[in-house]
Amino acid sequence: MRIGDRSFDTTEHTYIMGILNITPDSFSDGGKWNTLDEALGHAEQMVKDGADIVDIGGESTRPGHEQITEEEEIERVVPVIEAVRARIDVPISIDTYKAKVAEAAVKAGADLVNDIWGLKYDPKMAGLIAETGAACCLMHNKEKAEYENFYQDMLRETRQCVEIARAAGIASDKIILDPGIGFGKTYEMNLETLHYMERFHSLGYPMLLGTSRKSVIGLTLGLPADQREEGTLATTVIAVMKKYAFVRVHDVKANKRAIQMTKAILAAGPEES
């Protein structure tokens, strides 16, 4: 698939989406990159470390986050997108579920819309993405972790996101899916999703895994957000083994090395007869 002016081989590689939060309250790095110079410097470092996409977000989506206005979100992200676009030659993703923010971000230079509500929050989002020709990442999410059959319901609800996208005119080769670790799921459901995450390939689209520093890692290891790198790396290794095309992470260099090592091991064995 193409994102911006880059081609991505989503069947044979696992690419890195580096996280750049322009927020005061994100759960693991809130306030660290809030000035333009700090944000640009961090984006440049992530690309040097191996990031293939820079994902810029202006509103925290952690549990219990405080929603901000579209105008404030635009004021946070647009200058950073413009600066990154001018200095760094990688595709840019905008992490938002609001069509007005996405529109301003794409005009500023974003190539991909990363929507944590999978087009289900803002009824204008799908049409906006189709009109701009941007790529999109559609995440599974819901208000409450209530299911009749967890995995079947999750696949069905994710399929609904795809149907909204296709009905609006978004091309099939512009769609990435995300199982939504940490959203609308209990701790046990998050672990189950990771265990069976290859089942999402049945939907027929490239997959992205976003687990970096999340609570499922913290609860498993009994660690705060700033000590969850090893746990994140474990999930990245599994993502490579289960042929996920993208991982969304904070610690780019370490995850890049984990991907390279995992791929080398997987490629070393002889072909089975």
Side-chain angles (χ1 to χ4, degrees):
M1 70 182 302
R2 289 190 68 81
I3 304 173
D5 61 359
R6 294 287 183 90
S7 292
F8 291 81
D9 181 350
T10 57
T11 60
E12 297 297 332
H13 295 283
T14 301
Y15 298 96
I16 292 179
M17 177 184 281
I19 300 168
L20 180 55
N21 288 320
I22 316 301
T23 58
D25 57 343
S26 288
F27 76 97
S28 68
D29 59 355
K32 290 186 71 174
W33 321 114
N34 282 4
T35 72
L36 188 58
D37 286 345
E38 289 170 337
L40 184 57
H42 186 53
E44 289 177 327
Q45 187 60 54
M46 286 196 296
V47 173
K48 288 179 183 177
D49 289 343
D52 302 288
I53 300 171
V54 173
D55 187 50
I56 298 171
E59 178 182 276
S60 172
T61 53
R62 63 179 172 79
H65 77 281
E66 182 176 341
Q67 190 176 53
I68 62 174
T69 65
E70 294 169 329
E71 288 71 26
E72 184 175 357
E73 193 173 345
I74 289 169
E75 287 175 5
R76 288 180 182 180
V77 300
V78 164
V80 177
I81 293 170
E82 291 174 341
V84 172
R85 175 86 296 145
R87 292 273 294 274
I88 305 171
D89 185 25
V90 298
I92 297 170
S93 168
I94 175 65
D95 181 3
T96 188
Y97 51 91
K98 303 167 190 171
K100 188 174 181 180
V101 177
E103 181 178 21
V106 172
K107 286 181 179 177
D111 307 292
L112 184 153
V113 178
N114 185 12
D115 184 348
I116 66 163
W117 283 103
L119 308 177
K120 294 181 177 180
Y121 177 87
D122 189 332
K124 297 180 180 178
M125 182 66 97
L128 181 278
I129 294 171
E131 182 181 340
T132 62
C136 61
C137 182
L138 311 179
M139 193 185 82
H140 174 267
N141 199 351
K142 63 193 307 181
E143 291 284 356
K144 296 180 180 179
E146 296 176 354
Y147 303 84
E148 291 185 10
N149 181 309
F150 172 56
Y151 235 102
Q152 291 304 315
D153 288 355
M154 189 165 50
L155 288 171
R156 174 178 52 80
E157 289 159 3
T158 305
R159 194 176 293 111
Q160 290 171 351
C161 298
V162 174
E163 291 167 354
I164 293 169
R166 299 293 288 127
I170 298 174
S172 60
D173 63 354
K174 293 289 186 178
I175 298 171
I176 301 165
L177 301 179
D178 177 347
I181 300 297
F183 291 84
K185 300 168 187 67
T186 64
Y187 167 70
E188 292 79 11
M189 289 173 178
N190 285 315
L191 285 178
E192 185 179 345
T193 302
L194 288 166
H195 184 86
Y196 292 112
M197 64 190 195
E198 71 277 4
R199 292 181 180 179
F200 274 85
H201 290 310
S202 67
L203 298 175
Y205 291 88
M207 296 300 305
L208 176 145
L209 184 68
T211 59
S212 188
R213 303 181 184 173
K214 286 186 176 177
S215 63
V216 65
I217 296 169
L219 290 170
T220 301
L221 302 179
L223 294 172
D226 63 353
Q227 295 181 37
R228 299 174 185 171
E229 183 177 350
E230 298 95 339
T232 301
L233 295 174
T235 65
T236 291
V237 168
I238 294 172
V240 177
M241 295 176 71
K242 297 198 175 185
K243 296 188 178 299
Y244 269 47
F246 302 92
V247 290
R248 180 180 180 272
V249 300
H250 298 86
D251 306 294
V252 172
K253 182 182 289 186
N255 280 275
K256 180 73 171 181
R257 290 172 175 171
I259 290 170
Q260 289 175 319
M261 192 68 220
T262 307
K263 287 179 64 177
I265 294 169
L266 293 175
E271 291 294 328
E272 294 184 4
S273 57

